[in-house]
Amino acid sequence: MQRGIRFDGRPVWAEIRLSALTHNMKAIRRHVNPKEGRSSSGRPPRKILAVVKANAYGHGAVPVARALARAGADWFGVTCTAEGIELREGKIRKPILVLTGFWPGEEKHLFKYGLTPAITRCEQLRMLERAAARARRRIKFHAKFQTGMNRLGLSPSDVPCFARTLADCRHLEFEGVFTHFASSEVFTDDRVEQQQRAFDDILEHLRRLGVSAPLVHLANSAAVASRPETWGNMVRPGLVLYGYHQSYEPPALTAQANANLPLQPALALRARLISVREIAPGEAVGYNGRWVAQRRSRVAVISAGYADGLPRSLTNKGRVIVRGQFAPLVGTVSMDLTTADVTDVPEVKVGDVATFYGADGNATQYVSEVAAQLGTVTSELCCAMGTRVPRFYLP
């Protein structure tokens, strides 16, 4: 735990270790380029598009992007133009792909801030062409094809329309083509292989129509870690950048992924104890009295709740680290406060630090472990961390 953090106000905060982000970025680059530099075939190393959408999975978009840029990220991926603008205003100069494209009227922001849109419908080509012609500019774009996720993306049947329309768009430059895997962490069926075959067919159809793009990317985090056949010439790591692997099926593959691509979790979430009280057997704690003491107990009140990103579903089932020991969360997790049974933690006092995610002494608890306990995904808990939680960026 970092001892030097001092700030005024409500004592809940997050710590993001920049060294962990750097480690993960460099580990990914080595992993997808086993021999850094040009291969024997003369091809350049694979590019890395670092996904920093949703405020860099709750870690803070601009500081994270700066650290990843220094560590070698070639591109950044965001959800929308607003996220791309935030990076540009934060002095991020690397190419930025707007993964879900643009809404009509946003084209001017793409030009002004140098953002690269994803095209997901044929008619968007003409919209972008008209905007580029009015601005007397050329603009690069990537095309997303749907191969099995059935969300955003051109369908395989749209390939002829795409090629015809693109031929009429002299202000557009086709820079990249991509798809998104629905279940790259699942090895108990062949859905990924089906998607990959569908994508290969799309690329071949485009080639027959005289259309190609220099960048081809499919691999999200689990595919980056475990499916080298999907790497293309650019990969799109997301969660792995922040230090967490997906939960694989079968589960034994999760340990294998950790061994093949060792990561360092970057995030710690901490708060202080703001009250410690003795309660008698039979007394209840919190909303609706969902926890009742079975013995004389010491209950600590912690200055963090679900508005800060702690899932309410941790009620009576989570735990927190205090003085290097685990203490169970008891009672209902409320908006601003959480309570823990610290009876078995000696010498607890007001002002002590409670660690929800991270390490304290020899005890560790990472976001991925809590997510597994709750039956959700790690990224949900990272993204849930409230905006009123100050972030501190540590070496």
Side-chain angles (χ1 to χ4, degrees):
M1 186 180 68
Q2 188 74 15
R3 302 293 181 185
I5 290 176
R6 296 286 185 272
F7 64 100
D8 294 328
R10 183 168 173 264
V12 54
W13 70 96
E15 300 166 10
I16 292 91
R17 287 193 303 122
L18 300 179
S19 60
L21 296 172
T22 298
H23 167 89
N24 299 335
M25 181 69 211
K26 291 183 176 180
I28 291 164
R29 179 170 289 283
R30 288 193 301 270
H31 183 67
V32 300
N33 295 294
K35 294 181 179 179
E36 189 69 72
R38 291 182 178 268
S39 67
S40 57
S41 64
R43 290 177 298 185
R46 290 181 178 86
K47 294 184 180 297
I48 312 292
L49 183 151
V51 180
V52 292
K53 62 183 180 178
N55 197 29
Y57 290 57
H59 292 64
V62 171
V64 166
R66 287 173 178 166
L68 294 177
R70 289 192 296 269
D74 301 292
W75 279 72
F76 290 102
V78 298
T79 291
C80 56
T81 56
E83 290 182 344
I85 291 169
E86 180 185 5
L87 293 187
R88 289 291 186 235
E89 290 180 341
K91 310 302 182 187
I92 301 301
R93 299 300 178 220
K94 300 275 186 176
I96 298 171
L97 178 62
V98 183
L99 292 161
T100 60
F102 62 96
W103 191 251
E106 290 189 309
E107 297 92 334
K108 59 182 178 295
H109 300 309
L110 301 175
F111 299 124
K112 180 177 179 180
Y113 293 96
L115 306 177
T116 303
I119 294 294
T120 62
R121 304 190 316 277
C122 244
E123 60 267 27
Q124 289 178 315
L125 286 170
R126 294 205 182 278
M127 292 167 56
L128 195 59
E129 169 66 15
R130 286 194 295 270
R134 285 194 299 269
R136 299 181 180 178
R137 298 272 298 277
R138 283 184 62 82
I139 187 169
K140 298 178 180 180
F141 74 95
H142 290 211
K144 181 177 186 178
F145 281 87
Q146 189 288 119
T147 57
M149 177 76 96
N150 282 308
R151 296 190 317 186
L152 289 179
L154 294 143
S155 296
S157 60
D158 291 327
V159 168
C161 168
F162 175 83
R164 286 194 309 270
T165 306
L166 181 60
D168 293 333
C169 296
R170 59 190 181 88
H171 294 88
L172 305 187
E173 182 178 340
F174 186 24
E175 184 181 29
V177 57
F178 70 108
T179 193
H180 190 57
F181 290 131
S183 51
S184 55
E185 72 276 17
V186 177
F187 283 78
T188 52
D189 59 41
D190 67 345
R191 284 178 290 179
V192 170
E193 288 79 6
Q194 290 178 30
Q195 285 196 254
Q196 190 172 3
R197 287 194 294 271
F199 189 67
D200 288 342
D201 289 344
I202 289 166
L203 294 181
E204 177 57 30
H205 196 176
L206 287 169
R207 280 193 290 269
R208 291 200 306 270
L209 295 174
V211 178
S212 63
L215 293 176
V216 177
H217 46 110
L218 305 81
N220 53 6
S221 283
V224 167
S226 302
R227 295 183 184 270
E229 68 278 7
T230 70
W231 287 346
N233 59 9
M234 185 162 77
V235 296
R236 301 192 308 271
L239 189 63
V240 287
L241 289 168
Y242 307 97
Y244 310 101
H245 284 285
Q246 305 286 348
S247 296
Y248 283 75
E249 295 180 21
L253 293 181
T254 304
Q256 183 177 318
N258 274 289
N260 292 340
L261 180 57
L263 303 173
Q264 296 179 6
L267 174 67
L269 178 61
R270 310 190 200 274
R272 291 192 185 274
L273 310 187
I274 58 174
S275 174
V276 179
R277 70 173 65 243
E278 300 268 352
I279 66 170
E283 289 194 88
V285 171
Y287 285 119
N288 304 122
R290 291 183 179 175
W291 184 80
V292 178
Q294 302 300 304
R295 58 176 177 169
R296 180 163 292 280
S297 304
R298 300 187 78 205
V299 173
V301 180
I302 309 168
S303 59
Y306 61 74
D308 305 296
L310 296 179
R312 196 168 183 269
S313 51
L314 285 174
T315 294
N316 284 338
K317 68 170 63 171
R319 61 182 187 171
V320 66
I321 307 170
V322 180
R323 290 181 170 258
Q325 295 183 229
F326 285 105
L329 297 178
V330 297
T332 303
V333 175
S334 60
M335 185 180 293
D336 309 308
L337 302 169
T338 306
T339 44
D341 180 0
V342 293
T343 310
D344 297 326
V345 182
E347 301 180 4
V348 168
K349 65 181 185 300
V350 170
D352 282 348
V353 173
T355 297
F356 293 101
Y357 308 141
D360 183 3
N362 293 323
T364 60
Q365 176 170 258
Y366 295 116
V367 186
S368 52
E369 298 171 77
V370 178
Q373 179 189 9
L374 297 178
T376 188
V377 292
T378 304
S379 52
E380 179 186 0
L381 299 191
C382 290
C383 292
M385 197 163 60
T387 56
R388 71 183 184 184
V389 177
R391 276 78 161 162
F392 293 92
Y393 296 90
L394 311 179

